[in-house]
Amino acid sequence: LAVAAPMDVEESLAGYASHDASFQAAVAQVAFSVEWVVQLLASNLNAAAPWIARFLPSLLRLQELIPSELQFVALVSRKALIAAKYQPFLPLEIPKVLHALRGASQVELWPERAAALIFTQYFWFRHTLLLGRQGTREIVDMVLQRLEDEKLEVRELAAASLSGLVRGLREDAAAELRRKFLTRANEVFPTRGRRRRTREQLEGDSGTTNASSSSSSSSNLNSSVAVRHGTALALQALVLSSPYDV
C-alpha cells in the first residue's frame, strides 16, 4: 500500500532547508508515516487494526510537540488518533493496545497521559466483551491512578473516564468501587476535631522545622492536594454515573 505525501506536508517540509539532512529525513519519515495511518483509517480497511496497534504508542507521543516547526506533525497525529478511536481491534491486538495505553498513561508529558485517557474511553466502550474481567480491571486501575495525577486536566479526564466505566461495570465491581472511595473519603477528609489536632501538631512542630524540612513539607502538601482532589473527583464520578440512585 503506497500513499503519496499530501501537498501541505510537502510544503511544511520545505521549510527545513536550514536543518541538516538527517533531521530533514527523520521529520519526513515521521510525517509520512502519520499521514499513511490517516489514509489507512480513511480507507476503512479491515487490515488496519494490526497497524494501528503498532503505531498507537507513537501517535500518543506525537500529540504535543514543543518546537513550532513540528506543529504540523502534531496536527496530523491528532487527526490520526481521532480516527483511530473508532477502529475495531481483533482479540490479538487487545493486549498490544492495553500495553500502549498503560505506558502512555505513565509518561512525563501530560498531553500524552491525557490522550491515553481519551483513547481509553472509546477503546473500552467498543471492546468490553473482548477485554473481559482482567482487561477491564487493568483499565480501571489505570484510570484510578490518574485521579491523583499532578496535572489538573488529567485528573478531570480520569474522573470523566471513571464515570463512564462505572456505568458498564458489573454491579459487584461498581459497588466495590463505591465502598473503596467512601472509605478513602473518610480518611482523606477527616472530622473537624481530627483536623484541629493535626493543625495543632503542625503548629507545635513549626518551630523545629528548617529549610530542608520546609521543602519536603511543600512537596507533601502538593501531593495531598492531588490526593484530596482526586478523591473528590472520584465521588463526583460515582454520583454522575447513577445520579438517580444515590
Side-chain angles (χ1 to χ4, degrees), residues 9-63:
V9 174
E10 292 179 352
E11 292 173 357
S12 299
L13 292 176
Y16 287 92
S18 60
H19 295 279
D20 55 60
S22 60
F23 181 83
Q24 295 181 40
V27 173
Q29 183 178 6
V30 171
F32 178 81
S33 300
V34 175
E35 184 62 32
W36 181 80
V37 171
V38 173
Q39 298 297 333
L40 182 64
L41 288 166
S43 63
N44 293 321
L45 295 177
N46 293 329
W51 291 101
I52 301 306
R54 179 179 178 182
F55 276 100
L56 184 58
S58 298
L59 292 178
L60 293 169
R61 194 173 300 117
L62 292 171
Q63 294 304 295

Side-chain angles (χ1 to χ4, degrees), residues 59-60 63 81 101 110-120 157:
L59 292 178
L60 293 169
Q63 294 304 295
L81 195 62
L101 293 175
W110 76 266
E112 187 175 347
R113 302 197 301 270
L117 285 173
I118 295 175
F119 191 92
T120 298
L157 278 173

Side-chain angles (χ1 to χ4, degrees), residues 190-203:
T191 62
R192 180 176 301 178
R194 193 186 312 167
R195 187 184 300 118
R196 183 165 53 252
R197 289 196 299 273
T198 302
R199 186 182 301 113
E200 292 172 353
Q201 293 174 358
L202 291 175
E203 291 175 353

Side-chain angles (χ1 to χ4, degrees), residues 159-236:
S161 302
L162 178 62
S163 179
L165 286 172
V166 172
R167 297 175 189 176
L169 291 179
R170 292 162 48 94
E171 183 58 33
D172 57 343
E176 178 62 27
L177 270 181
R178 295 188 185 96
R179 287 192 296 269
K180 175 181 178 179
F181 279 105
L182 286 175
T183 302
R184 183 68 176 273
N186 290 329
E187 297 173 352
V188 173
F189 304 109
T191 62
R192 180 176 301 178
R194 193 186 312 167
R195 187 184 300 118
R196 183 165 53 252
R197 289 196 299 273
T198 302
R199 186 182 301 113
E200 292 172 353
Q201 293 174 358
L202 291 175
E203 291 175 353
D205 296 338
S206 62
T208 60
T209 57
N210 51 29
S212 60
S213 63
S214 176
S215 61
S216 176
S217 299
S218 177
S219 175
N220 293 335
L221 177 61
N222 293 335
S223 174
S224 177
V225 170
V227 170
R228 289 188 174 192
H229 188 218
T231 303
L233 287 175
L235 295 176
Q236 173 186 326

Side-chain angles (χ1 to χ4, degrees), residues 119-139:
F119 191 92
T120 298
Q121 297 174 6
Y122 292 82
F123 174 70
W124 175 82
F125 181 78
R126 298 177 66 89
H127 301 86
T128 303
L129 297 179
L130 294 179
L131 284 166
R133 293 188 180 182
Q134 179 60 30
T136 298
R137 188 178 301 110
E138 292 183 23
I139 287 182

